[in-house]
């Protein structure tokens, strides 16, 4: 009994949201930098953003059908993999800790960064330390911003395996951040998150553009392009961010 109670306490500790209590306006302000506001406000040029125009789509199939067969099969696989996880929508509310400010979510960010940097530079102590530093910075950033979290959990263990952080402003919805653990990376969770984001954007009359933002590598820019997201230098001319969050 004591052992079971200790396990429950550990699970509760991992799930506890311990982030700062931040007001709505401060969260919105904290979101602007990562959204690329420096370019649309005329301060300086940012990196190209990968954009998908959805205003002429009536269903998500209008996006999927023109893609190459292999890409369509990947999205279909991502849809089938959804039986292995649950997705919970969690708004980030002003005056409350962020719903992803827990150890469970931080673990996903760390695993995500370690995996990426190990692929780029090889597995080493130096790569792990750099990945941990990057994960801490990114985790602090995402938990201070506005938007909505799409939380992915393993269906059998209820363990958090990843999350997508989305922000909508004006006529554009932005896939702001995405992090997942090693399990989720093998089960097409990123592809599912993009599929789900595009589906919801198509169904929302207020949204014209899905913005997946800049990429950390040319390979990731190319991957987005294979799914119809064009890298645009003057992206504020296409993605309308004027308007409310």
């Amino acid at each position: 009994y004591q052992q079971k109670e200790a396990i429950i306490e550990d699970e509760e500790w991992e799930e506890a949201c311990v982030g700062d209590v931040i007001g709505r306006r401060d969260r919105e302000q904290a979101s602007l930098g990562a959204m690329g506001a420096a370019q649309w406000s005329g301060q300086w040029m940012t990196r190209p953003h990968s954009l998908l125009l959805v205003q002429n789509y009536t269903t998500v199939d209008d996006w999927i059908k023109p893609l190459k067969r292999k890409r369509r099969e990947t999205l279909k696989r991502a849809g089938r993999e959804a039986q292995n996880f649950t997705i919970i929508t969690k708004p980030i509310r002003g005056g409350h800790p962020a719903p992803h400010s827990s150890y469970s979510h931080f673990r996903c960010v760390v695993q995500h960064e370690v995996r990426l940097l190990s692929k780029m530079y090889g597995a080493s102590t130096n790569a792990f330390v750099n990945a941990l530093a990057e994960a801490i910075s990114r985790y602090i950033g995402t938990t201070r911003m506005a938007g909505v979290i799409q939380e992915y959990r393993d269906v059998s263990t209820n363990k958090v395996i990843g999350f997508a952080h989305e922000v909508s402003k004006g006529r554009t919805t932005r896939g702001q951040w995405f992090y997942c653990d090693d399990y989720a990376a093998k089960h097409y969770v990123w592809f599912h998150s993009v599929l789900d984001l595009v589906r919801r954007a198509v169904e929302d009359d207020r949204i014209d553009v899905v913005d997946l933002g800049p990429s950390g590598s040319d390979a990731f820019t190319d991957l987005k392009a294979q799914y119809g997201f064009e890298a645009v230098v003057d992206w504020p001319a296409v993605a309308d961010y004027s308007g409310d969050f």
Side-chain angles (χ1 to χ4, degrees), residues 114 117 124-136:
V114 168
L117 268 68
S124 67
T125 302
N126 189 53
F128 174 78
V129 172
N130 288 337
L132 182 60
E134 187 72 16
I136 292 171

Side-chain angles (χ1 to χ4, degrees), residues 84-105:
N84 296 315
F85 46 76
T86 58
I87 306 103
I88 305 170
T89 300
K90 294 187 173 183
I92 303 173
R93 304 187 187 281
H96 297 272
H100 58 312
S101 60
S102 76
Y103 172 79
S104 292
H105 297 86

Side-chain angles (χ1 to χ4, degrees), residues 88-151:
I88 305 170
T89 300
K90 294 187 173 183
I92 303 173
R93 304 187 187 281
H96 297 272
H100 58 312
S101 60
S102 76
Y103 172 79
S104 292
H105 297 86
F106 177 63
R107 175 183 50 78
C108 291
V109 180
V110 172
Q111 286 196 21
H112 189 93
E113 293 300 320
V114 168
R115 187 172 60 254
L116 291 184
L117 268 68
S118 294
K119 287 181 179 178
M120 294 173 64
Y121 306 112
S124 67
T125 302
N126 189 53
F128 174 78
V129 172
N130 288 337
L132 182 60
E134 187 72 16
I136 292 171
S137 174
R138 289 175 176 271
Y139 177 74
I140 291 173
T142 182
T143 55
R144 296 188 66 83
M145 296 179 187
V148 174
I149 298 301
Q150 303 295 338
E151 181 185 82

Side-chain angles (χ1 to χ4, degrees), residues 7-27:
I7 292 173
I8 293 173
E9 288 179 355
D10 286 343
E11 290 176 349
E12 289 177 349
W13 176 82
E14 289 188 6
E15 295 283 341
C17 293
V18 296
D20 292 337
V21 174
I22 301 172
R24 178 178 62 84
R25 291 189 181 276
D26 288 337
R27 287 196 178 281

Side-chain angles (χ1 to χ4, degrees), residues 177-192:
W177 307 107
F178 176 84
Y179 302 105
C180 70
D181 66 11
D182 297 339
Y183 170 86
K186 297 175 182 177
H187 288 78
Y188 295 79
V189 170
W190 180 78
F191 293 100
H192 185 277

